[in-house]
Amino acid sequence: MTTAFVSATPVLASLDIARSVAFFVEQLGFAQVYLQQGSYGIVEQGAVQLHFWACADQRIAEATGCRIRVDGIEALYARCVEAGIVHPHAPLAETPWSTLEFAILDPDGNLVTFHQAMAHAV
């Protein structure tokens, strides 16, 4: 029998679990799954879950992040631009590895990069 890896769930550092959960719910349309302030939080959007662990060190949060694959990246980018949450050095751009991507910073400094595969001409 072989093992099939199915998905990965990022766990991000959070200085304030309630604030982290609220940010992803209000700014990106995630649903709150679990919230215990000072301990742990979970949000979910479709097949994507993000978990948050309580951390008292801002430097740790600022050194962590994750990548989330999406469809319809242009609409998400427009929403994030309107909300003023796009990282100033990570606007929507094509990459050499054939993705279209951009990044945001959450309130704790976690870098969240959204990416979509680019269609290839045949």
Side-chain angles (χ1 to χ4, degrees):
M1 177 179 227
T2 61
T3 300
F5 291 87
V6 177
S7 68
T9 303
V11 183
L12 301 173
S14 173
L15 303 172
D16 182 328
I17 300 290
R19 181 184 65 195
S20 295
V21 168
F23 174 82
F24 282 89
V25 168
E26 295 166 9
Q27 298 296 331
L28 298 168
F30 280 71
Q32 177 180 313
V33 173
Y34 178 79
L35 171 60
Q36 182 174 356
Q37 182 64 351
S39 179
Y40 209 76
I42 303 170
V43 295
E44 181 176 70
Q45 171 64 275
V48 175
Q49 270 197 354
L50 296 175
H51 290 217
F52 306 97
W53 63 278
C55 173
D57 188 338
Q58 176 88 34
R59 293 173 301 162
I60 292 172
E62 290 174 348
T64 61
C66 67
R67 294 176 55 83
I68 300 173
R69 191 176 80 198
V70 300
D71 289 325
I73 197 165
E74 292 90 354
L76 177 60
Y77 181 69
R79 178 179 182 171
C80 292
V81 166
E82 184 175 318
I85 60 173
V86 173
H87 188 290
H89 301 295
L92 188 63
E94 294 181 7
T95 67
W97 48 90
S98 300
T99 62
L100 191 57
E101 55 186 66
F102 74 96
I104 65 168
L105 287 175
D106 77 3
D108 295 313
N110 289 295
L111 183 70
V112 180
T113 302
F114 298 101
H115 64 96
Q116 178 176 315
M118 292 171 37
H120 295 286
V122 178

